[in-house]
Amino acid sequence: QKEVEQDPGPLSVPEGAIVSLNCTYSNSAFQYFMWYRQYSRKGPELLMYTYSSGNKEDGRFTAQVDKSSKYISLFIRDSQPSDSATYLCAMSADYGQNFVFGPGTRLSVLP
Amino acid sequence: EAGVTQSPTHLIKTRGQQATLRCSPISGHTSVYWYQQALGLGLQFLLWYDEGEERNRGNFPPRFSGRQFPNYSSELNVNALELEDSALYLCASRSRDEQFFGPGTRLTVL
């Protein structure tokens, strides 16, 4: 079993749809959780960062962490064609220690 | 505030050669991470430098090495290049618990 698993996609949705992206993990020590967006041939860009369990909202983006289920989600409301990218989840157990990334989900938002 | 910068943008080498990739972190960041992202694969952790010291390395052979300079910039060296080393190499610097990535160096090994 991989340490972090993520739906590979690709995922295609119409503009304006609500998108749900998910990751599961096996290491119960993870407590720092991040979502990155990566456009083609570019470096990842940090979207959301959460510590421990709970929800965090930033504009159209909401990140959820359920440590009891070892499951994190990123919701995108009112999706736009500019949201078309690969979304990577990442997590870390210790301050400054290894960040483990999921393989990414490719999202296409169709106009 | 300038972001993480990497050079060169693209690098083409032949099998057996050596490649040197460079990274400048965000001002004030002392930690630098290197990742390999091969086509269709996720980010694979390569190396972590902090305060000039190598703190951790991923599951890569010793021909992947690097260093961090007193100004916290970093260099990744890949010796005896193999075809499967072709990938996007990403550098990230860290502030508290967050990493910020550079645009990457695309290495092509022919």
Side-chain angles (χ1 to χ4, degrees):
Chain A
Q1 182 190 15
K2 289 185 179 178
E3 202 165 13
V4 178
E5 309 228 31
Q6 189 173 0
D7 298 334
L11 180 63
S12 291
V13 301
E15 184 175 355
I18 296 174
V19 177
S20 173
L21 303 166
N22 309 295
C23 283
T24 58
Y25 62 94
S26 57
N27 187 348
S28 58
F30 288 146
Q31 51 183 341
Y32 303 95
F33 303 92
M34 289 140 282
W35 285 96
Y36 288 84
R37 177 175 61 196
Q38 186 175 22
Y39 292 112
S40 180
R41 296 183 172 268
K42 301 290 185 183
E45 168 196 10
L46 181 65
L47 274 179
M48 300 285 285
Y49 161 74
T50 53
Y51 171 71
S52 195
S53 286
N55 293 358
K56 184 174 182 178
E57 186 174 321
D58 184 3
R60 296 185 296 111
F61 299 91
T62 300
Q64 281 187 354
V65 175
D66 182 349
K67 289 189 68 180
S68 62
S69 301
K70 299 191 184 68
Y71 189 89
I72 69 171
S73 299
L74 177 70
F75 297 96
I76 306 175
R77 290 183 300 280
D78 187 26
S79 56
Q80 303 294 311
S82 58
D83 294 328
S84 298
T86 297
Y87 289 80
L88 304 164
C89 63
M91 42 202 81
S92 173
D94 301 316
Y95 184 88
Q97 291 292 329
N98 294 352
F99 292 78
V100 181
F101 284 78
T105 299
R106 182 186 293 182
L107 170 68
S108 293
V109 181
L110 308 174
Chain B
E1 178 184 78
V4 177
T5 60
Q6 292 186 246
S7 63
T9 304
H10 294 91
L11 189 57
I12 299 175
K13 294 285 186 178
T14 56
R15 195 169 46 183
Q17 285 189 311
Q18 179 198 36
T20 298
L21 289 64
R22 296 179 178 83
C23 170
S24 290
I26 293 172
S27 177
H29 292 189
T30 63
S31 274
V32 170
Y33 298 77
W34 286 96
Y35 293 88
Q36 182 195 66
Q37 188 176 39
L39 190 63
L41 298 178
L43 272 70
Q44 303 295 315
F45 167 69
L46 268 166
L47 290 158
W48 169 34
Y49 291 95
D50 184 54
E51 297 283 357
E53 300 285 332
E54 182 180 301
R55 301 296 184 182
N56 204 356
R57 67 178 292 130
N59 188 25
F60 280 84
R63 58 191 186 83
F64 287 83
S65 65
R67 54 181 172 165
Q68 187 178 33
F69 300 99
N71 66 353
Y72 304 117
S73 67
S74 178
E75 199 172 83
L76 174 69
N77 294 293
V78 188
N79 294 321
L81 284 165
E82 300 178 2
L83 296 178
E84 53 266 34
D85 296 333
S86 294
L88 181 67
Y89 288 83
L90 292 160
C91 168
S93 69
R94 179 172 62 83
S95 169
R96 296 180 64 81
D97 309 311
E98 303 175 34
Q99 288 187 114
F100 298 87
F101 283 85
T105 292
R106 184 160 297 280
L107 172 64
T108 301
V109 182
L110 303 175

